[in-house]
Amino acid sequence: METPEVTGSTLTSRTTRTTTYTEEVTGRVTPGMPPTLKQARQAASGLRRRTTRGTRRALRPSLPRRRAALGERLRKGARNRANANQSFNPPQRQHVTTTSCNDESNEDDLRKSLRKDRFGNGGLLSGETSAFIKQEKRKQKLQVKRARQSQWENKGHRARDVLGDDPVVGICELMCPLAELEKRLRTNDFDELEQPNSKVPELKNLGVHNLAVKRFARTITEEDRQPDRLRTRSALKKTMLHLLSLMDSKRATFEKVHRFLWDRYRAVRTDLSIQHIKDDFAVGCLEEMIRFHIIAEHELCEETATVTNPHGFNSHLNVEQLYKCLTSLFSLYDELAKSGKPCANEPEFRAFQILLTMDTHGKYRRDSSAHCFALSKMRPEVLHSDFVQFAVKLNSLYHGGNFVKFFGIVRKSPFVVSCILHAYFNPLRTKAVRLFSAGVFGKNATLPVSYVKESLLLDTEREAMALLRGFGLEVKRDQSGETVVRVGAKNFVEPKEDVPRKRSAFISALRAKGSQLSSFVSSPVSVHLAP
């Protein structure tokens, strides 16, 4: 078979076709030898990139259209937030059309208008709050820089930090750290007591950064242990004073105030624990928390959770936090006493522990052995103090069933002590009625209902009559027209359900004698032991 002969004309035609292909792909003529396959692929790839980029540029909307779409998204987001949060009543504003967004100034006005609808005039995202956050950020950066410099200069201190012997020292001077404040601002996650209110004179010129308080976090991460997330001693003191002032606030009910303080007090205890603050300041904070929880036991005993009020008062959770505060406080008492700095209010709170553990309190069962163990561990000067002896005497009267002397001491007790003893009113009244039925005042005898009312510290005679009839005793009128109860008939009937707790008019009168509720929380309690 003969090989075809390659002539000059054939080679020329092949070169011409290759050159034409190169011109179509790359836009230029490649002289010399025809391009390789790799060069051809690279040229085709460049053509596809230029074509795609041109298509995207052609399909991209114009600047006015983009601004109009941005305005529509912002308005839609504002409508969704307004529907989700019914507590905000934004002022009416004029409808902003998309044709007004053709320049930068109109776009800024639209953003300000939407922000005003969400937060009100000078509200949570006001310019003052934004400027304050920027200023505090600069301060914190400078503080962190100085702390790092001092850490490197002091090698011994740095070595102890690496080993973990020294606690973290907070640098946050606000009631709410900046990181948490910014996060809650983005979601508008603030309690009713943290929001500015122009109708209240003392809150008229305050922003959310002046009212927000750090929340309690159940899980403590490594970020939560950073110095900028922990409040300093001065910030914690400011927080405690602010929370104390809210107890007398008329902006919300005491139930809402208790729910707010119940959470914020736990955050304060977390900051104290992480920074290992164990001095008189920490003792004072825990003492105020304990008095607050004790008072709430009486003031909110009727505000329990119901179908209409699912977030009502929970006595079990309140007592749980009360016991945790007592445990931390007694640990500080022991450490300070060993260092030669005993606390002046230690007998008061040791007595509170005795009174709180006299009997079953909700889900906390009474443990007589633990009670005796706590008394044996007290120092002699605390054990023989008037307050502790007062509590021991009340404990003896309660378990002995001497209701006359018990309620007689209650009448002379201060407000905070009466709030503790209020939990034992109904159990002791049940014991008293059982004694009435057993014949302690004679068989088939009668007692005036007025005597029952006074001896059992009931508010009215009608309440006394309802109590006696609820246990099966007969209430009637005698020949003189006085209402009496027949006792000694052994007709006591055990109720199917526990008698619900109600606020005592006598204890409420003790509170009315004081100036404000915050004064009972911040002031120490004193008692005088009767001979």
Side-chain angles (χ1 to χ4, degrees), residues 22 25 81 99 128 156 170 183 195 245-246 288 298 321 356 375 386 399 439 443 477-478 493 507:
T22 307
V25 174
R81 287 189 294 270
T99 56
E128 180 183 356
K183 180 180 179 180
Q195 297 177 8
S245 66
L246 292 178
E288 288 187 5
H298 171 262
Q321 296 305 314
L356 287 166
L375 290 173
D386 288 347
H399 290 286
K443 295 183 179 181
R477 289 184 179 274
D478 60 3
V493 178
I507 299 178

Side-chain angles (χ1 to χ4, degrees), residues 216 218 262 266 269 286 289-290 293 316-331 356 364:
F216 169 73
R218 189 175 299 274
W262 182 83
R266 298 178 74 185
R269 281 166 29 213
L286 291 173
M289 296 176 193
I290 292 172
H293 288 299
H316 172 69
L317 296 179
N318 184 68
V319 174
E320 180 184 19
Q321 296 305 314
L322 172 59
Y323 284 169
K324 288 182 178 180
C325 291
L326 281 172
T327 303
S328 301
L329 181 62
F330 292 160
S331 177
L356 287 166
Y364 289 92

Side-chain angles (χ1 to χ4, degrees), residues 286-315:
L286 291 173
E287 289 177 349
E288 288 187 5
M289 296 176 193
I290 292 172
R291 294 193 191 102
F292 168 73
H293 288 299
I294 289 174
I295 293 174
E297 276 297 302
H298 171 262
E299 296 297 313
L300 299 176
C301 63
E302 297 180 6
E303 308 296 335
T304 55
T306 59
V307 177
T308 58
N309 185 20
H311 301 289
F313 175 69
N314 191 321
S315 177

Side-chain angles (χ1 to χ4, degrees), residues 58 63 228 305 365:
L63 182 61
D228 60 332
R365 302 296 176 182

Side-chain angles (χ1 to χ4, degrees), residues 122 180 285 291 332 448 492:
E180 179 180 338
C285 293
R291 294 193 191 102
L332 292 180
F492 181 83

Side-chain angles (χ1 to χ4, degrees), residues 89-362:
N89 294 320
Q92 297 293 331
R93 62 180 177 85
Q94 295 180 354
H95 179 68
V96 181
T97 59
T98 56
T99 56
S100 62
C101 302
N102 294 330
D103 51 75
E104 296 293 337
S105 61
N106 291 338
E107 185 176 348
D108 294 339
D109 293 341
L110 175 61
R111 293 179 183 273
K112 291 179 182 179
S113 177
L114 295 173
R115 181 181 299 174
K116 180 180 177 181
D117 282 358
R118 181 180 179 188
F119 300 108
N121 294 321
L124 304 185
L125 286 181
S126 61
E128 180 183 356
T129 302
S130 302
F132 176 82
I133 292 176
K134 292 180 181 179
Q135 181 181 3
E136 289 298 324
K137 277 187 174 181
R138 288 193 294 267
K139 288 182 181 179
Q140 283 192 1
K141 287 182 180 179
L142 183 60
Q143 289 177 349
V144 171
K145 184 177 180 180
R146 291 176 178 175
R148 288 177 178 175
Q149 287 179 353
S150 62
Q151 181 179 356
W152 282 102
E153 290 173 359
N154 190 351
K155 296 182 180 179
H157 182 71
R158 183 188 64 172
R160 288 194 298 271
D161 282 344
V162 172
L163 294 175
D165 295 334
D166 287 351
V168 183
V169 179
I171 61 174
C172 177
E173 295 291 345
L174 305 175
M175 295 191 297
C176 182
L178 284 178
E180 179 180 338
L181 182 62
E182 289 180 318
K183 180 180 179 180
R184 293 168 64 184
L185 275 169
R186 287 193 295 269
T187 57
N188 190 22
D189 190 9
F190 291 94
D191 191 87
E192 179 183 353
L193 296 171
E194 295 176 315
Q195 297 177 8
N197 192 342
S198 58
K199 297 181 181 180
V200 182
E202 57 268 20
L203 303 178
K204 188 174 182 180
N205 298 323
L206 295 180
V208 68
H209 58 277
N210 303 116
L211 301 174
V213 184
K214 181 180 179 180
R215 276 182 167 177
F216 169 73
R218 189 175 299 274
T219 303
I220 306 299
T221 62
E222 193 63 29
E223 292 182 354
D224 297 330
R225 296 178 179 272
Q226 298 303 315
D228 60 332
R229 301 291 183 93
L230 299 175
R231 290 168 288 187
T232 61
R233 188 184 300 266
S234 60
L236 290 172
K237 183 177 181 180
K238 179 183 177 182
T239 302
M240 291 297 295
L241 291 174
H242 175 69
L243 296 178
L244 189 66
S245 66
L246 292 178
M247 297 180 192
D248 305 312
S249 175
K250 297 181 180 179
R251 300 172 57 192
T253 61
F254 186 67
E255 178 188 351
K256 293 183 179 179
V257 172
H258 172 268
R259 193 184 310 140
F260 179 75
L261 267 63
W262 182 83
D263 179 85
R264 276 27 177 199
Y265 273 151
R266 298 178 74 185
V268 172
R269 281 166 29 213
T270 301
D271 282 8
L272 292 173
S273 176
I274 294 177
Q275 300 183 72
H276 294 188
I277 300 178
K278 300 179 179 181
D279 53 9
D280 293 338
F281 172 72
V283 169
C285 293
L286 291 173
E287 289 177 349
E288 288 187 5
M289 296 176 193
I290 292 172
R291 294 193 191 102
F292 168 73
H293 288 299
I294 289 174
I295 293 174
E297 276 297 302
H298 171 262
E299 296 297 313
L300 299 176
C301 63
E302 297 180 6
E303 308 296 335
T304 55
T306 59
V307 177
T308 58
N309 185 20
H311 301 289
F313 175 69
N314 191 321
S315 177
H316 172 69
L317 296 179
N318 184 68
V319 174
E320 180 184 19
Q321 296 305 314
L322 172 59
Y323 284 169
K324 288 182 178 180
C325 291
L326 281 172
T327 303
S328 301
L329 181 62
F330 292 160
S331 177
L332 292 180
Y333 280 159
D334 295 337
E335 291 185 14
L336 293 175
K338 289 180 182 179
S339 61
K341 299 177 182 179
C343 299
N345 297 332
E346 183 176 357
E348 173 189 347
F349 290 90
R350 296 287 185 182
F352 286 169
Q353 184 195 26
I354 297 174
L355 297 177
L356 287 166
T357 56
M358 284 198 314
D359 201 354
T360 299
H361 197 297

Side-chain angles (χ1 to χ4, degrees), residues 17-74:
R17 287 197 300 271
T18 305
T19 305
T20 306
Y21 171 78
T22 307
E23 290 177 355
E24 293 177 356
V25 174
T26 62
R28 62 182 182 275
V29 178
T30 305
M33 296 299 295
T36 61
L37 181 61
K38 182 177 180 181
Q39 291 174 345
R41 288 177 177 176
Q42 290 177 351
S45 176
L47 178 61
R48 285 196 298 268
R49 283 198 298 270
R50 287 195 299 274
T51 305
T52 305
R53 192 180 301 119
T55 304
R56 289 177 180 175
R57 189 180 298 110
L59 295 177
R60 184 180 299 172
S62 60
L63 182 61
R65 290 183 180 179
R66 294 202 303 273
R67 289 173 176 169
L70 173 62
E72 183 62 28
R73 287 198 300 270
L74 292 174

